[in-house]
Amino acid sequence: MTWFTRWAFGNKAAVIFMVVLIMGSGIFSYFKLPMEFLPSADFPQISVTVVGQGYDAKSMLDNATAPIEKAVSSVTGRKETFSTSADGFMKIDMTFDSDIKMKDAAAGVQEAISSIVLPAGMSKPFVIRLNTSMIPLSMLSLSFKDGITKANMELTEQKIVPDFENINGLASVVLGGKTVSKVFIHPDADKLANAKIPVQALMGVLQGQNLAVSVGEKSIDGKTSGLKVIGNLNDIETLNNLTVAPGVKLKDVATVELSSNNDTLTRVNGKDVLMLVVTKDASSNAVAISDEVAELAAKVETKYPNATAEVVNSTAEIVVTSVNSMMREVLLGALFATIVILLFLRNLRSTLITIVSIPLSLGLTLFLLSKSGVTLNILTLGGVAVAVGRLVDDSIVVIENIFRRTQKAEFSKELIIDATREVARAITASTLTTVAVFLPLGLLQGSLQAFLLPFALTVTYSLLSSLFVALTVVPLMSAWLLRNAKLGEHKSPKRLVNVLTWSLNHKIISIGLSFVLFLGSLIIYFNLPKGAVSDSTASQMEISLSYPPETPITTIRDKAIELEKFIIAQPEVKNSILQQGNSEENAKWGSVTAPTTASFQIMMKKDAKTQEFIDRVNAQKGNYPNAVLDTGANSFSGGSSSAITMDLTGDSAKDLTEAAAQVTAAIKSIAGIAKVTSNQDVTKPGYSITVDPAQANPQEIAMSVRSLLNQTPIGSMKIDGTETPVVLDALINPTTSADLSNIQIMTANGPAALTSVAKIEETNETNSILHKDGKQFLRVSALVDPTKLSEIDKDIKAKTKDLKLPAGVELIQGGAAAQQSSEFMDLFMTIIISIGIVLLIMVVTFKTFRAPIASIFSLPFAAVGAIVAMMITGTSFDVTSIFGFLMLIGIVVTNAIVLIDRVRQNEEKMPIRESLLEAAATRTRPIIMTAVATICAMLPLVISKAEEGSIVSKGLAIVVIGGLSVATVFTLIMVPTIYELLHFVKARRQRKNATVAPAASKTLEA
């Protein structure tokens, strides 16, 4: 790599221009790079949702879930299918192999269900491909002085929404919270009975009324003319006068009215509103577009005085906060690294030379990111924050070696080139090994690669840039700035040399003690709590208020508004969104819930005390005795859940119920479990109507009873140019079981009581039915403390292991613990692959196996330090901690390479023992400097709040700081000890010859 340095000295003007160009390109790229919250990534899941107002769970299962499950069973790449059929909705979640393109998977699902015709009253199936682009860029509320009227909804749809759609870079603008106008036909039972007209006759009242049919062509007035029959039903009066029977008009037996069907509730900060959900395309700048959206929202009231638009939530705010936070941490890290260099070298000029590598490396990194199509998001910024400690490492080693050499020889260009050559192989190999640690992240598949590749690329570009700067700019600046500089004398670390000498003379003791320490750290590791990533400082919260299925909707809404008033009054709350009920707009996002559940989305103020807010909300549970009040963090990235699930599969519903009761009883007393629930816990009182096939057709009775008890869509008509649904209202509203028994239905023999053809029995059924791959199963869920996930998982397994479940019932434990185990396994495999690549690079560098093996022995000591640091700080072991271990591989091995490279150079003219002692004395200062600089650069991450969705966290920083601190000391002592042990025969022979030679010399003198 010396030719880089020689080229720099031979082209000084080009290097100066290159530095200016890199800085300019970096600044330009920073402002040009699209900013977004997360990189665009598909999750390996496709969801299908259907909304069916008025349908119970069993009806949704039979009429929607079952046919769709059957249709999608042959979709290519599908792994598992989970479905939920509940009152008013159904949802199917399909997981796919990670190598499947989710765009193709979504197209396959859409094609599979395209021919399915669902019953009247159900929405069409919505296919949802889960992608980070679905995260709303902005959510806006639209309120009106005179409320949500039909005119205001038309204004919104025809004027306001198109204004926002005209903003360049937006992918979609979805309007939610709107009420749908419908024409309701309210039958009068007595009038129908007097006219002897069955209610079913009203269902065909619109048949043939709205059409345009060509009836042929004829020659009229000498011209061939087309003939067409047109039916045009466009007002309530015409509908009232339609004939339903000879001499009987619709208005004679029913009341017709146009009104809004308020199936859903949407409120923001205590006001009824319409919601605009804005998403951007993959290539646009989130911050710039968000600013345009906010500007347009501010102009709405000026343009439409009756309307007010407010930005309730914006991910761009989080992006800006993340950018500022990460840049602050980068600058702090650079400042700490600068102070470290100054303290060690005690020379301002050499410090200036070293820190130049930081802005230059960052500038080149930003330029390369822009050319790679990578956006500026919390993952790429996290990569910069992680790499900043390593950006100066190569420069430190180079400048320290130049600094040391100039103390012993005359200052010259050749001396600087030679000093750089001396460490070039070491810093190149160490940089490549660190890069190699992150290479396997690019080999991952699916969404995991999409998330981690930008992080890996950022670190890779940063480190390669710093290497390039260290080999070109640093030597050139040294020639300019260190000439005639007064440099402090380099002092040999005598104490370290003495300790190393003792260790080399007592290898068995030192290696034995090291092994005991490593074994102790493993014991600590297995006893450390393995937790999910904490969301306790999340900027958004979710609150749900769930009532039993039989609770009237009016009660749920009243209680939800009561809770809303309490939430809005809390000092931590910035904005509150209340939603209840299912709508087609929400179903398009995959958001469907029980109609008896009210959901709150809370945007928290900056630096809000989230846990205090959670505690106060939970304290309100006593005010809602019949409801379940849940409060938790809402992570944009869909962070790890803190629920452990136990799925029970089997053929007998009775056996499954019995098994669920056993599991619930066994685990509910485990410490750390907040709540245990089952999808069978929530049941709904009902009645089963068993039809006698000899007396009537069950299907006809079902249709007849449904039309009597529920609103039934019977067609549509145009009112004021808008296609408006026409709904036949329920004819009867039974309030007692006797009312149900006395329902009159049409049979082959005329009107008769329902009990004459069917048996009515009272039931108590679940309001949600779960299927896995088409088969029914029960799920028991345990909500656990996320910081003690692994401990509680072990306790659950111990408690359920010896349960005697009914024959044919199988228990499968999953949820957060299973997800955590899978993530840990993937990352541990990545670590193993990384170590293999690092070894390969070192074998190529040193052209031997023994030197790499000695270097790799620094890793166990890094683990010792990391685990002890986590134990001392009480940090839970999670996915971000594993990333810390992944980083340690590159950082720690770097120090070992710098040391062993010097040993290999010394061996050309010294015995192994002398080579080791001289290398330790020479390389101690740069190794400690790079370690302390990296540790100091990590300190801001320890004291700052981690950004949501980022893998750069306090846990990662603690792992790196603890591991690097211990590994640095052990690298300087144990790596040379292992190295000499691997060359035991040669080293012993050299020491023996060294002892014999002086003795022989004395004999000759005598």
Side-chain angles (χ1 to χ4, degrees):
M1 304 296 288
T2 313
W3 69 271
F4 268 121
T5 309
R6 292 193 177 279
W7 174 86
F9 275 96
N11 298 272
K12 295 178 183 178
V15 172
I16 295 172
F17 181 72
M18 179 187 68
V19 169
V20 174
L21 192 64
I22 288 174
M23 291 302 299
S25 300
I27 294 171
F28 177 75
S29 298
Y30 174 77
F31 290 104
K32 181 185 175 184
L33 275 170
M35 289 186 184
E36 60 183 357
F37 184 63
L38 288 171
S40 180
D42 280 319
F43 297 102
Q45 179 178 320
I46 301 290
S47 296
V48 180
T49 58
V50 173
V51 174
Q53 303 289 353
Y55 284 88
D56 63 7
K58 187 66 167 61
S59 300
M60 292 301 301
L61 173 66
D62 295 338
N63 295 287
T65 308
I68 293 176
E69 279 181 336
K70 184 178 180 181
V72 301
S73 62
S74 59
V75 174
T76 303
R78 183 188 61 86
K79 290 171 61 179
E80 289 183 317
T81 302
F82 293 90
S83 70
T84 301
S85 304
D87 293 347
F89 74 92
M90 80 95 215
K91 183 179 182 181
I92 295 177
D93 295 319
M94 289 163 281
T95 58
F96 286 79
D97 295 325
S98 57
D99 58 343
I100 295 292
K101 290 184 178 180
M102 298 314 296
K103 185 177 181 180
D104 296 338
V109 172
Q110 188 70 64
E111 183 180 356
I113 66 174
S114 60
S115 60
I116 294 177
V117 179
L118 298 179
M122 290 189 185
S123 69
K124 69 175 184 179
F126 298 106
V127 177
I128 302 104
R129 189 179 100 204
L130 298 179
N131 189 287
T132 52
S133 62
M134 292 177 66
I135 298 174
L137 175 67
S138 297
M139 297 175 68
L140 299 93
S141 66
L142 283 172
S143 57
F144 302 88
K145 293 177 181 178
D146 54 349
I148 310 298
T149 64
K150 180 181 178 183
N152 289 333
M153 283 192 290
E154 289 179 352
L155 171 69
T156 302
E157 291 178 316
Q158 297 171 12
K159 301 286 186 180
I160 298 177
V161 170
D163 287 345
F164 283 95
E165 288 176 334
N166 288 333
I167 297 176
N168 290 329
L170 288 187
S172 67
V173 180
V174 178
L175 177 63
K178 61 182 179 181
T179 56
V180 180
S181 293
K182 294 182 180 180
V183 176
F184 289 91
I185 300 175
H186 305 289
D188 187 311
D190 294 333
K191 291 179 179 179
L192 284 170
N194 291 335
K196 297 181 180 179
I197 298 173
V199 70
Q200 286 82 356
L202 301 183
M203 298 181 69
V205 69
L206 294 182
Q207 190 171 357
Q209 294 294 335
N210 281 310
L211 50 76
V213 179
S214 176
V215 294
E217 293 183 348
K218 291 294 179 181
S219 178
I220 299 176
D221 295 333
K223 297 179 181 179
T224 301
S225 304
L227 302 179
K228 184 184 294 183
V229 176
I230 298 175
N232 208 356
L233 185 62
N234 55 19
D235 62 77
I236 300 296
E237 184 60 30
T238 304
L239 179 60
N240 265 315
N241 290 314
L242 291 180
T243 300
V244 294
V248 181
K249 296 181 179 179
L250 180 60
K251 65 182 179 180
D252 296 331
V253 292
T255 302
V256 180
E257 67 170 349
L258 176 67
S259 65
S260 297
N261 189 17
N262 296 313
D263 295 325
T264 62
L265 175 68
T266 303
R267 290 165 62 90
V268 172
N269 297 331
K271 296 186 292 185
D272 290 322
V273 298
L274 297 176
M275 291 292 297
L276 286 182
V277 180
V278 177
T279 59
K280 75 173 192 68
D281 59 33
S283 60
S284 298
N285 190 313
V287 176
I289 295 179
S290 182
D291 289 342
E292 288 189 56
V293 170
E295 289 176 10
L296 186 55
K299 295 177 182 177
V300 167
E301 190 169 5
T302 304
K303 194 172 182 181
Y304 310 103
N306 186 42
T308 301
E310 295 181 29
V311 178
V312 180
N313 188 33
S314 173
T315 56
E317 294 179 7
I318 301 176
V319 173
V320 172
T321 301
S322 298
V323 170
N324 293 338
S325 175
M326 286 296 182
M327 290 305 294
R328 182 176 64 250
E329 287 163 10
V330 167
L331 293 174
L332 281 173
L335 175 63
F336 289 158
T338 303
I339 294 172
V340 169
I341 297 165
L342 185 59
L343 290 175
F344 273 89
L345 297 182
R346 300 186 301 279
N347 183 273
L348 190 59
R349 293 185 185 182
S350 57
T351 303
L352 177 64
I353 295 169
T354 309
I355 63 174
V356 162
S357 61
I358 295 178
L360 280 179
S361 300
L362 289 179
L364 189 53
T365 298
L366 290 171
F367 173 73
L368 293 173
L369 287 176
S370 68
K371 294 304 177 184
S372 301
V374 177
T375 61
L376 203 60
N377 54 65
I378 59 174
L379 293 176
T380 50
L381 288 169
V384 172
V386 163
V388 69
R390 279 281 289 113
L391 292 184
V392 294
D393 282 10
D394 293 341
S395 296
I396 284 176
V397 174
V398 171
I399 193 66
E400 194 279 336
N401 205 47
I402 294 172
F403 193 92
R404 185 180 54 81
R405 287 284 300 274
T406 54
Q407 294 175 331
K408 299 178 180 180
E410 186 179 348
F411 188 91
S412 67
K413 182 182 79 172
E414 286 303 320
L415 180 139
I416 292 175
I417 294 175
D418 189 57
T420 305
R421 178 197 59 77
E422 216 172 55
V423 294
R425 184 176 67 173
I427 63 173
T428 301
S430 62
T431 299
L432 291 180
T433 54
T434 310
V435 168
V437 166
F438 295 96
L439 281 180
L441 296 179
L443 302 177
L444 298 171
Q445 294 182 327
S447 60
L448 200 57
Q449 184 197 57
F451 273 116
L452 299 182
L453 188 58
F455 176 84
L457 283 177
T458 305
V459 175
T460 299
Y461 290 157
S462 299
L463 297 181
L464 292 178
S465 300
S466 70
L467 174 64
F468 176 72
V469 171
L471 292 174
T472 54
V473 178
V474 169
L476 200 58
M477 289 186 68
S478 298
W480 293 336
L481 295 180
L482 293 186
R483 187 182 300 276
N484 301 323
K486 294 181 179 180
L487 305 177
E489 184 182 352
H490 173 66
K491 295 180 180 180
S492 178
K494 295 181 180 179
R495 290 182 182 177
L496 175 70
V497 172
N498 291 336
V499 173
L500 176 56
T501 302
W502 183 91
S503 178
L504 291 171
N505 290 331
H506 303 84
K507 294 183 181 66
I508 296 176
I509 297 175
S510 57
I511 293 174
L513 288 173
S514 301
F515 179 76
V516 170
L517 284 174
F518 179 64
L519 189 63
S521 68
L522 288 181
I523 295 172
I524 295 173
Y525 166 76
F526 286 113
N527 286 281
L528 277 176
K530 313 299 188 302
V533 179
S534 174
D535 283 324
S536 59
T537 57
S539 62
Q540 292 197 20
M541 303 297 298
E542 279 190 350
I543 301 172
S544 65
L545 185 66
S546 302
Y547 277 88
E550 67 272 16
T551 309
I553 297 298
T554 53
T555 301
I556 295 166
R557 294 188 175 184
D558 290 342
K559 288 295 184 180
I561 292 172
E562 178 186 319
L563 180 59
E564 179 188 48
K565 291 178 181 177
F566 172 82
I567 291 171
I568 294 172
Q570 302 311 301
E572 297 88 355
V573 174
K574 181 180 179 182
N575 288 304
S576 167
I577 301 174
L578 164 60
Q579 291 184 311
Q580 178 272 324
N582 290 313
S583 65
E584 293 191 11
E585 288 78 14
N586 288 342
K588 292 175 184 176
W589 298 87
S591 177
V592 283
T593 59
T596 54
T597 296
S599 301
F600 297 84
Q601 186 176 350
I602 310 299
M603 274 59 72
M604 308 295 287
K605 292 178 181 177
K606 186 178 180 181
D607 300 325
K609 296 179 179 179
T610 305
Q611 191 57 51
E612 292 184 10
F613 171 75
I614 293 173
D615 293 340
R616 285 198 299 274
V617 173
N618 287 336
Q620 294 294 306
K621 290 181 179 180
N623 296 331
Y624 307 94
N626 298 322
V628 176
L629 178 61
D630 279 335
T631 308
N634 173 30
S635 173
F636 276 115
S637 57
S640 298
S641 167
S642 59
I644 295 176
T645 62
M646 284 138 285
D647 294 341
L648 295 157
T649 59
D651 297 326
S652 170
K654 181 181 178 182
D655 290 344
L656 290 176
T657 303
E658 181 185 336
Q662 288 186 45
V663 172
T664 301
I667 69 172
K668 64 182 181 181
S669 61
I670 295 175
I673 293 183
K675 183 174 61 175
V676 181
T677 59
S678 164
N679 64 302
Q680 274 209 329
D681 288 346
V682 182
T683 58
K684 181 178 180 181
Y687 293 86
S688 64
I689 302 171
T690 307
V691 179
D692 183 353
Q695 298 291 327
N697 185 307
Q699 183 177 3
E700 292 177 358
I701 296 298
M703 293 178 61
S704 178
V705 172
R706 175 172 173 76
S707 64
L708 291 171
L709 300 179
N710 298 282
Q711 295 179 352
T712 305
I714 60 173
S716 64
M717 57 185 290
K718 279 196 175 180
I719 298 180
D720 298 331
T722 303
E723 199 71 26
T724 306
V726 180
V727 178
L728 180 63
D729 204 358
L731 180 64
I732 58 177
N733 184 27
T735 57
T736 66
S737 56
D739 292 342
L740 189 63
S741 300
N742 292 327
I743 290 177
Q744 296 292 305
I745 59 170
M746 289 299 297
T747 67
N749 299 321
L754 179 60
T755 50
S756 66
V757 296
K759 181 182 179 182
I760 300 177
E761 295 178 314
E762 192 171 348
T763 61
N764 198 38
E765 299 177 345
T766 178
N767 75 323
S768 65
I769 303 170
L770 303 183
H771 273 194
K772 179 180 180 180
D773 295 329
K775 296 180 180 179
Q776 187 172 349
F777 76 103
L778 291 185
R779 170 166 289 176
V780 178
S781 300
L783 191 64
V784 305
D785 182 348
T787 62
K788 300 178 180 178
L789 198 57
S790 61
E791 297 175 8
I792 297 172
D793 185 52
K794 289 178 184 176
D795 291 339
I796 290 176
K797 287 178 179 176
K799 291 277 189 181
T800 58
K801 181 178 64 174
D802 298 325
L803 288 178
K804 294 182 179 179
L805 301 177
V809 175
E810 183 181 359
L811 175 64
I812 303 170
Q813 192 162 322
Q819 178 187 347
Q820 184 195 66
S821 297
S822 176
E823 290 173 344
F824 281 11
M825 185 57 67
D826 287 344
L827 290 173
F828 278 132
M829 287 301 298
T830 301
I831 287 176
I832 292 171
I833 295 171
S834 297
I835 292 173
I837 297 175
V838 166
L839 274 172
L840 176 62
I841 291 174
M842 287 194 290
V843 169
V844 172
T845 302
F846 294 121
K847 298 179 178 61
T848 178
F849 279 107
R850 284 183 280 193
I853 292 173
S855 301
I856 217 74
F857 263 92
S858 57
L859 295 180
F861 307 118
V864 171
I867 292 169
V868 171
M870 293 180 72
M871 181 189 69
I872 293 172
T873 58
T875 305
S876 178
F877 192 88
D878 56 34
V879 172
T880 64
S881 304
I882 299 182
F883 266 95
F885 281 98
L886 193 64
M887 284 187 59
L888 277 177
I889 296 173
I891 297 172
V892 171
V893 171
T894 293
N895 290 338
I897 290 174
V898 170
L899 178 63
I900 294 298
D901 180 71
R902 180 69 179 187
V903 173
R904 298 282 294 174
Q905 291 179 27
N906 289 343
E907 281 189 78
E908 296 175 4
K909 53 185 181 296
M910 298 180 190
I912 291 177
R913 175 65 65 89
E914 290 181 26
S915 298
L916 292 169
L917 294 174
E918 193 281 338
T922 304
R923 293 291 185 239
T924 293
R925 183 166 64 175
I927 286 174
I928 292 179
M929 284 175 66
T930 55
V932 174
T934 303
I935 289 170
C936 289
M938 284 286 161
L939 287 176
L941 296 177
V942 175
I943 60 179
S944 66
K945 170 187 169 184
E947 299 301 325
E948 287 182 80
S950 177
I951 58 178
V952 180
S953 67
K954 178 181 177 181
L956 179 145
I958 286 173
V959 166
V960 173
I961 291 172
L964 187 54
S965 300
V966 174
T968 300
V969 176
F970 277 88
T971 296
L972 291 168
I973 297 170
M974 294 309 302
V975 169
T977 303
I978 299 294
Y979 186 87
E980 189 176 74
L981 180 65
L982 293 172
H983 297 80
F984 179 75
V985 175
K986 181 179 178 181
R988 187 172 65 174
R989 185 173 63 250
Q990 288 176 344
R991 291 198 302 274
K992 186 176 179 180
N993 292 338
T995 304
V996 170
S1001 177
K1002 288 180 181 179
T1003 302
L1004 290 174
E1005 289 176 3

